[in-house]
Amino acid sequence: MKNKNMNLLEIKNLHASVQGNEILRGINLTVKAGEVHAIMGPNGSGKSTLAGVLAGRDAYTVTQGEVFYNGQNLLEMLPEERARSGLFLAFQYPVEIPGVNNSYFLKEALNAIRTHKGLEKLDAIDFLALIKQKVKIVEMDESFLNRPVNEGFSGGEKKRNEIFHMAVLEPLLSILDETDSGLDIDALRTVADGVNKLRSQENAIVVVTHYQRLLNYIVPDVVHVMKDGRLVLSGGKELALELEDRGYDWVHEEAGQTV
Amino acid sequence: MNNETNTIEEFAAQEYKYGFVTDIDADSVPPGLNEDVIRLISAKKQEPDWLLEWRLKSFRHWETMVEPHWQNIKYPPIDYQAIIYYSAPKQNSLLKDMSEVDPELLKTYDKLGIPLREQEWLAGVAVDAVFDSVSVATTFKEKLKELGIIFSSFSEAVREHPELVRKYLGSVVPSNDNYFAALNSAVFTDGSFCFIPPGVRCPMELSTYFRINAASTGQFERTLIVAEEGAQVSYLEGCTAPMRDKNQLHAAVVELVALDNAKIKYSTVQNWYPGDKEGRGGIYNFVTKRGKCAGVNSKISWTQVETGSAITWKYPSVLLIGDHSVGEFYSVAVVNNYQQADTGTKMIHIGKHTKSTIVSKGISAGHGQNSYRGLVEMKKNAVHARNFSQCDSLLLGDKCGAHTFPYIEVKNTSSKAEHEATTSKIGDDQIFYCKQRGLSAEDAVNLIVNGFCKEVFRELPMEFAVEAQKLLGVSLEGSVG
């Protein structure tokens, strides 16, 4: 039943706070299958908070609003249930798990998702075949498979590893939280190429970024500008270029309008 | 966090899996300790006079000693007169084969997952089963005998090989070594004895499975392993006890002797009853374990996974006497609820070019208190000695504690000792990261903790490593949040 016109994500008037401070002040956003949305905005505008709320980080309290994901009430789901239902967050700061083999970790994750879908768990041999193929998508050396999760990885390697996880877990909705930060231009291109290979008519991607440069490689269908906890402006990919030229300040005047 | 709290409560309510009691007739001596009790124990075991004298000497020395209290653990005074020092399941004391073992006992060990019938046991592991104060069965004895390996209960060794026992008993841990070793020397009841003759590499893992069953009894076993020139052996020890609301004392002594080029690997998975959630009951595990690398190029390796007991207090140590001898200590100690552990090792470098490695992983959860205490000593003549120590602590929650007391004494200029220590908390961000990939909170904690312990687990024999990982999971269930 999944098709291009289906609403994969529907956010209605979402308000969320951290320790009593309201960060999100009424977000409205609809993402359909097959689309790539970019959310841009200055530091502190609430971009990462939105990503965290969608993934179910418990530091945030949702005070108002609704979120539907693939027809389900997202806010009632546990973080792991969201993940198993195909919601993926590429972390801005991927976490190190010392001593835990990257591929072992991914196998556990993939099998948790497969079990949720009613599929059989992959055995070690099939899994190995799968990851050896997927690791090529992000041009990552196979040695990363047997290293502890993110431990001793450079900033760029960590980001690449996130996209590798995305490739293996094949999510329906991926949220890339500042995946471009800390990447040099070559790494940025590789990571973006990887993401592009994973785009399909069935899935959707929300790219959260401060800079426009990632969007040269991952070309969005819609660009949103976030300010003070609201999406104040939405437009096509050219909006990103305009933001790059003019900065975020002019958005004040334009706020409320849709280009 | 509500959902997490629920999971915690569910798991915390989970019971200790090995807490059942076997209903079996026992032959016990009355509670209390005096010379008559010791004579009675010795008589019951039909021991030679020299051993009775050794026990009595130990007891007289013990009476002059005071219970030590320097360790970082707290417990109410132990009433040594309230303890039953000997309890044995009633059965024919000299068994010819397994078919004579009481079926109730066989059932107990089956329940524990330790089948004593040889044909059912994994090929490659010989087992000695110690129930309360006596050894009830030893498997694969005949097969080992063909190689000249002696693997039997301690009592049997006293009967069959008195000259070997007499030669090595107390040679590593003297009967007056410390309070609990002296007590053990006076009242020890059974345990295992292994002797590997020169040049023989033991073809299977030797294993002793200790079980405390009777109420109010103490378990005082004694294990002695001797590897002669060029011999090699790997030995495993497992322990469980029923759930009881009173504390029970377990004061064992383990002595290892490695002659020239011999290697002994000693692994423990300790899962004595840890007490309940409020800290009632549980085993006091006060144990003296020491190995002597007597010969050149000899090696003694201790690996321990300590998840049980209300209190664990032990320092498996190595005396590195032979030149180029090697001592190793790999430890995982877990405390949850109100468990306490003060554990570590002593590496005493005496010979030249001796080497030691210490890897200690302490995990604290609930209100648990975990201390690493270690001594690395390099004597004057231990030139070019080397030590590397790594002590890592992992905290779950904010009510537990981790403490490290490393002592390093180097008395020559050519030796080198390195010490690394870390303390970390399982971060909410780590757990969230795992959840975001689809793992449950419990699976996340298991994964993180197992990753933390990896360097120790890989030292364990394969099947024990799997067992240890599962055990760790059970011990820590409910500790997230």
Side-chain angles (χ1 to χ4, degrees):
Chain A
M1 242 86 70
K2 280 154 205 151
N3 58 54
K4 200 173 154 56
N5 295 317
M6 187 183 155
N7 287 347
L8 208 47
L9 180 71
E10 219 178 330
I11 304 176
K12 293 178 181 168
N13 190 32
L14 181 68
H15 291 249
S17 57
V18 180
Q19 293 170 332
N21 297 323
E22 188 166 62
I23 310 284
L24 302 184
R25 303 161 185 243
I27 302 273
N28 291 291
L29 176 67
T30 301
V31 178
K32 291 187 193 317
E35 290 180 343
V36 172
H37 287 236
I39 297 178
M40 301 182 70
N43 291 328
S45 57
K47 304 187 298 292
S48 286
T49 302
L50 178 61
V53 168
L54 294 177
R57 216 185 251 282
D58 58 18
Y60 307 115
T61 314
V62 173
T63 51
Q64 248 192 82
E66 291 179 295
V67 181
F68 294 96
Y69 163 70
N70 203 15
Q72 292 170 278
N73 184 344
L74 185 74
L75 300 177
E76 284 182 352
M77 295 163 76
L78 291 172
E80 58 269 36
E81 291 167 351
R82 301 178 194 198
R84 291 172 197 162
S85 311
L87 188 146
F88 180 88
L89 173 66
F91 283 59
Q92 183 179 4
Y93 304 107
V95 179
E96 298 185 3
I97 309 180
V100 178
N101 186 299
N102 199 19
S103 60
Y104 178 76
F105 176 76
L106 262 184
K107 180 164 157 267
E108 295 295 296
L110 181 63
N111 280 333
I113 293 168
R114 288 180 66 94
T115 304
H116 178 81
K117 286 183 183 165
L119 297 172
E120 276 200 18
K121 289 184 176 184
L122 278 193
D123 64 26
I125 296 166
D126 291 342
F127 179 75
L128 190 67
L130 174 77
I131 56 172
K132 285 208 165 178
Q133 182 202 334
K134 298 284 188 183
V135 78
K136 291 180 191 143
I137 291 178
V138 284
E139 295 173 27
M140 216 162 79
D141 193 275
E142 279 186 22
S143 66
F144 283 91
L145 300 177
N146 292 317
R147 283 171 54 181
V149 181
N150 293 321
E151 196 187 35
F153 288 26
S154 71
E157 286 162 352
K158 284 181 182 173
K159 295 299 176 75
R160 212 179 272 222
N161 195 37
E162 291 295 284
I163 304 307
F164 169 56
H165 285 192
M166 176 178 162
V168 173
L169 303 179
E170 298 181 331
L172 269 184
L173 176 66
S174 303
I175 302 158
L176 312 186
D177 188 6
E178 309 246 359
T179 296
D180 52 339
S181 68
L183 292 186
D184 62 37
I185 194 70
D186 293 329
L188 183 77
R189 198 175 292 138
T190 315
V191 165
D193 283 350
V195 172
N196 286 331
K197 284 178 202 153
L198 300 172
R199 285 174 80 159
S200 77
Q201 288 307 304
E202 282 76 42
N203 64 25
I205 300 171
V206 176
V207 181
V208 173
T209 181
H210 188 72
Y211 299 106
Q212 179 271 338
R213 58 173 195 163
L214 178 65
L215 306 180
N216 288 337
Y217 301 100
I218 304 174
V219 180
D221 299 301
V222 191
V223 175
H224 308 273
V225 181
M226 194 162 186
K227 264 200 107 169
D228 300 326
R230 289 188 194 95
L231 297 181
V232 291
L233 195 61
S234 299
K237 60 183 184 217
E238 61 288 347
L239 178 57
L241 292 167
E242 193 166 359
L243 287 166
E244 183 78 354
D245 271 359
R246 298 174 64 185
Y248 287 107
D249 283 342
W250 65 277
V251 181
H252 271 305
E253 296 95 67
E254 308 278 332
Q257 295 179 25
T258 301
V259 179
Chain B
M1 290 304 266
N2 275 339
N3 291 296
E4 266 178 43
T5 318
N6 290 342
T7 358
I8 296 165
E9 282 163 6
E10 275 164 36
F11 280 116
Q14 208 188 39
E15 288 192 22
Y16 178 69
K17 188 170 138 197
Y18 308 99
F20 61 89
V21 178
T22 306
D23 187 14
I24 197 161
D25 273 347
D27 171 19
S28 307
V29 299
L33 184 57
N34 53 50
E35 293 201 6
D36 288 341
V37 168
I38 292 167
R39 284 175 208 281
L40 189 60
I41 292 172
S42 189
K44 274 185 188 293
K45 305 185 86 65
Q46 300 160 22
E47 286 176 355
D49 290 343
W50 65 263
L51 190 51
L52 174 62
E53 279 313 310
W54 195 76
R55 287 176 179 276
L56 291 172
K57 202 178 119 208
S58 309
F59 175 67
R60 286 167 201 145
H61 190 86
W62 177 73
E63 284 191 303
T64 68
M65 298 170 95
V66 273
E67 200 184 295
H69 288 287
W70 46 262
Q71 68 281 21
N72 187 27
I73 55 181
K74 288 191 193 83
Y75 59 94
I78 297 171
D79 181 357
Y80 292 93
Q81 297 304 331
I83 295 172
I84 295 169
Y85 288 88
Y86 181 83
S87 171
K90 273 190 184 147
Q91 63 171 16
N92 187 353
S93 59
L94 289 169
L95 296 171
K96 284 194 198 68
D97 64 60
M98 287 302 145
S99 62
E100 292 179 21
V101 177
D102 187 320
E104 274 299 312
L105 275 175
L106 289 179
K107 264 193 244 163
T108 300
Y109 282 91
D110 277 350
K111 253 188 186 168
L112 295 168
I114 315 285
L116 294 181
R117 286 167 286 246
E118 291 182 1
Q119 67 274 19
E120 289 175 17
W121 185 251
L122 286 166
V125 183
V127 185
D128 183 24
V130 176
F131 193 82
D132 288 339
S133 304
V134 295
S135 166
V136 291
T138 308
T139 63
F140 290 111
K141 224 174 348 188
E142 291 307 311
K143 204 170 164 187
L144 294 167
K145 207 172 161 185
E146 288 166 20
L147 295 164
I149 296 169
I150 303 167
F151 178 48
S152 71
S153 72
F154 205 93
S155 308
E156 193 183 322
V158 170
R159 285 193 303 272
E160 310 274 326
H161 308 281
E163 70 299 336
L164 283 175
V165 175
R166 197 169 181 176
K167 182 173 172 190
Y168 289 109
L169 178 70
S171 70
V172 187
V173 180
S175 63
N176 59 359
D177 186 79
N178 68 70
Y179 189 80
F180 291 101
L183 178 64
N184 174 288
S185 302
V187 302
F188 76 89
T189 41
D190 221 328
S192 298
F193 177 79
C194 315
F195 175 84
I196 320 293
V200 173
R201 190 177 174 153
C202 186
M204 56 176 80
E205 306 275 350
L206 301 184
S207 154
T208 302
Y209 199 85
F210 295 100
R211 171 81 177 163
I212 298 178
N213 186 61
S216 305
T217 52
Q219 192 171 43
F220 304 94
E221 85 271 2
R222 197 144 185 132
T223 297
L224 177 55
I225 300 176
V226 179
E228 293 224 316
E229 288 84 357
Q232 285 186 32
V233 63
S234 170
Y235 178 91
L236 315 167
E237 173 197 85
C239 345
T240 57
M243 287 159 60
R244 297 192 187 278
D245 55 8
K246 290 230 175 57
N247 296 110
Q248 283 178 281
L249 179 63
H250 170 250
V253 171
V254 176
E255 297 180 278
L256 312 181
V257 181
L259 303 185
D260 288 354
N261 302 304
K263 285 192 175 73
I264 301 175
K265 184 172 174 61
Y266 192 106
S267 313
T268 304
V269 175
Q270 184 265 109
N271 187 25
W272 295 119
Y273 176 53
D276 68 11
K277 272 186 295 173
E278 269 77 46
R280 280 184 302 251
I283 302 290
Y284 292 163
N285 187 35
F286 298 170
V287 171
T288 307
K289 288 184 170 176
R290 196 174 302 155
K292 184 158 85 177
C293 281
V296 295
N297 286 320
S298 55
K299 179 176 173 183
I300 289 178
S301 179
W302 297 102
T303 305
Q304 60 172 23
V305 176
E306 305 282 325
T307 60
S309 296
I311 303 177
T312 294
W313 180 24
K314 59 184 247 194
Y315 313 96
S317 304
V318 185
L319 302 169
L320 296 151
I321 298 167
D323 292 347
H324 297 278
S325 58
V326 177
E328 293 175 340
F329 175 72
Y330 296 96
S331 169
V332 167
V334 183
V335 291
N336 195 1
N337 297 319
Y338 286 88
Q339 281 176 278
Q340 306 174 64
D342 191 317
T343 185
T345 184
K346 288 187 280 186
M347 292 290 174
I348 313 295
H349 294 254
I350 299 162
K352 300 178 184 70
H353 296 278
T354 47
K355 240 170 85 178
S356 62
T357 305
I358 299 171
V359 177
S360 163
K361 305 277 178 174
I363 300 158
S364 314
H367 295 265
Q369 293 295 327
N370 210 334
S371 301
Y372 167 81
R373 190 184 302 274
L375 170 67
V376 175
E377 188 181 347
M378 288 156 174
K379 304 270 195 198
K380 200 166 168 247
N381 293 325
V383 291
H384 301 290
R386 288 290 311 267
N387 163 265
F388 173 74
S389 302
Q390 186 187 332
C391 302
D392 299 324
S393 305
L394 188 67
L395 300 169
L396 284 83
D398 52 10
K399 294 181 186 74
C400 54
H403 317 268
T404 308
F405 305 96
Y407 299 86
I408 300 174
E409 291 173 20
V410 181
K411 289 166 183 150
N412 67 66
T413 52
S414 60
S415 291
K416 206 168 151 188
E418 287 172 71
H419 182 90
E420 286 178 8
T422 63
T423 301
S424 50
K425 260 183 102 160
I426 287 194
D428 291 342
D429 54 345
Q430 282 177 321
I431 292 178
F432 179 68
Y433 189 73
C434 296
K435 284 183 181 176
Q436 211 304 304
R437 294 299 183 257
L439 303 175
S440 65
E442 306 80 72
D443 288 346
V445 171
N446 272 345
L447 200 75
I448 295 165
V449 169
N450 278 308
F452 175 75
C453 298
K454 201 177 191 175
E455 291 148 287
V456 174
F457 284 167
R458 71 171 169 227
E459 296 296 324
L460 286 172
M462 191 58 175
E463 57 273 35
F464 261 53
V466 174
E467 195 60 34
Q469 285 190 20
K470 283 190 204 149
L471 199 55
L472 207 63
V474 174
S475 305
L476 288 172
E477 267 165 359
S479 53
V480 210

